[in-house]
Amino acid sequence: MANSKYEYVKSFEQPDLLLPNTWIVIRIDGKGFHKFSNKYSFEKPNDRRALDLMNAAAKAVMTELPDIVIAYGISDEYSFVFHKSCALFERRSSKLVTTVVSTFTAYYVHLWSSFFPEMPLSPPLPSFDGRAVQYPSMQNLRDYMSWRQVDCHINNLYNTTFWALIQIGGLDAKSAEKELSGSMAADKNEILFSRFKINYNNEPEIYKKGSVVLRDYELVEPGSPPEVIDEDLVKTVEQVALSKTQEENDKKRRAKARITVQHVDIIKDEFWERRPWLLSNKPGKIPKEP
């Protein structure tokens, strides 16, 4: 770019580099999705088409951005995790957030007709906001993911009971809300089973556990010696980078890996122990074709 007398305006730009050696979570949320879901008559308490659309958009984001190691989604929310060694966009917060949000939104709109063929989109179109949060340790990251999955269970149990009271029990929204005020999980389970013969344990896992998006490598067998991950030894942007050859090999292995959506428990240790590549950032073995 040629120098000019106007170039001084660049000095007003503020640096927004995220801290090195920290896990980065970009969390996106639907903007005004309560009205949006009513406009398109989403089924209550859960609309499987809407959730599958969210998951399809998340898979597309992971395909476009191989630096993302795992994503987790519930309702109109998705969290995308970048490894602490990530150097994408020099770890600029604004670049990371806007790239994830815009890519997700673009695919959400692009794929809409595949899931809602009878309901064409019209303005105002769906949009999402986003933020970047940093976590210094693996335990912090795992606690964040656990928090989101616990929220999924709490919210879904409430919504399942709330809408059962309305749709089957004939209550209005205010009466249903009043009845559930101060209730515990056991109370809601009792209402579902005793009044409506609904066993919450039999509800689809996607509603109870949310959606986990990750690359599909061979699972480590239970009882295998765990991979030792010393956080002090994990390469960061300020340390010696991997050789170009190793970088290219890792990229190829990630590109070959199938991106899957699973509805599993991510709170227990077993999930992470059987998928050590999530925390080590070293691609696993590609599963053999059946």
Side-chain angles (χ1 to χ4, degrees):
M1 182 183 295
N3 292 329
S4 74
K5 67 177 183 179
Y6 305 111
E7 195 169 351
Y8 77 94
V9 298
K10 290 171 58 180
S11 64
F12 290 96
E13 294 182 17
Q14 295 297 306
D16 62 347
L17 301 181
L18 295 172
L19 291 172
N21 204 31
T22 56
W23 296 88
I24 302 171
V25 176
I26 308 296
R27 186 165 81 240
I28 69 169
D29 290 280
K31 180 179 178 292
F33 257 58
H34 180 71
K35 289 183 178 179
F36 180 80
S37 64
N38 288 334
K39 176 181 176 180
Y40 292 99
S41 304
F42 284 11
E43 295 177 7
K44 306 293 186 181
N46 295 290
D47 190 308
R48 183 58 189 258
R49 300 166 301 170
L51 294 175
D52 287 343
L53 172 56
M54 291 285 292
N55 293 339
K59 285 180 66 176
V61 172
M62 281 197 73
T63 301
E64 298 269 349
L65 299 172
D67 294 83
I68 297 171
V69 296
I70 187 173
Y72 178 75
I74 55 176
S75 186
D76 64 339
E77 166 196 313
Y78 241 102
S79 297
F80 297 90
V81 179
F82 292 84
H83 194 266
K84 63 195 309 181
S85 63
C86 173
L88 183 64
F89 301 131
E90 300 178 328
R91 297 175 69 89
R92 290 175 60 185
S93 177
S94 57
K95 286 275 191 178
L96 289 167
V97 172
T98 55
T99 298
V100 170
V101 171
S102 60
T103 304
F104 187 94
T105 305
Y107 275 103
Y108 188 92
V109 173
H110 174 67
L111 295 169
W112 173 269
S113 61
S114 298
F115 296 90
F116 294 90
E118 306 301 323
M119 299 181 184
L121 284 172
S122 62
L125 296 174
S127 60
F128 296 81
D129 61 43
R131 75 208 74 180
V133 186
Q134 302 163 88
Y135 296 100
S137 72
M138 289 186 291
Q139 190 59 54
N140 293 150
L141 174 69
R142 283 192 53 183
D143 287 346
Y144 169 81
M145 302 293 279
S146 298
W147 169 51
R148 300 319 305 136
Q149 189 162 66
V150 168
D151 253 22
C152 174
H153 163 69
I154 292 173
N155 292 337
N156 188 64
L157 177 57
Y158 180 91
N159 290 333
T160 301
T161 312
F162 177 82
W163 285 103
L165 287 170
I166 294 174
Q167 295 171 342
I168 307 175
L171 298 184
D172 59 30
K174 284 189 176 180
S175 299
E177 185 177 349
K178 183 178 180 180
E179 178 152 353
L180 292 177
S181 178
S183 63
M184 306 297 288
D187 301 322
K188 298 181 184 72
N189 275 291
E190 178 63 22
I191 291 172
L192 287 172
F193 190 74
S194 63
R195 296 195 201 176
F196 311 116
K197 305 304 179 187
I198 296 174
N199 186 336
Y200 183 75
N201 292 329
N202 295 334
E203 290 295 293
E205 295 296 289
I206 185 175
Y207 303 150
K208 296 186 297 182
K209 291 187 171 68
S211 299
V212 187
V213 185
L214 71 169
R215 291 177 180 83
D216 188 26
Y217 299 117
E218 286 187 5
L219 296 177
V220 173
E221 289 301 317
S224 301
E227 180 177 342
V228 177
I229 303 174
D230 187 336
E231 292 196 85
D232 292 331
L233 295 179
V234 174
K235 286 184 173 64
T236 69
V237 291
E238 295 177 334
Q239 293 174 312
V240 178
L242 289 171
S243 68
K244 290 292 182 182
T245 302
Q246 185 62 51
E247 283 184 359
E248 289 304 315
N249 288 340
D250 285 351
K251 284 182 180 179
K252 289 178 182 178
R253 288 170 70 182
R254 288 193 185 96
K256 289 180 180 179
R258 186 169 58 99
I259 295 175
T260 65
V261 180
Q262 302 177 21
H263 315 293
V264 295
D265 189 324
I266 60 175
I267 299 175
K268 294 178 182 177
D269 292 339
E270 181 184 3
F271 173 82
W272 303 93
E273 290 171 354
R274 301 202 67 190
R275 301 166 180 82
W277 60 84
L278 294 174
L279 298 178
S280 70
N281 205 32
K282 299 174 183 176
K285 295 180 180 179
I286 304 295
K288 295 179 181 178
E289 293 294 332

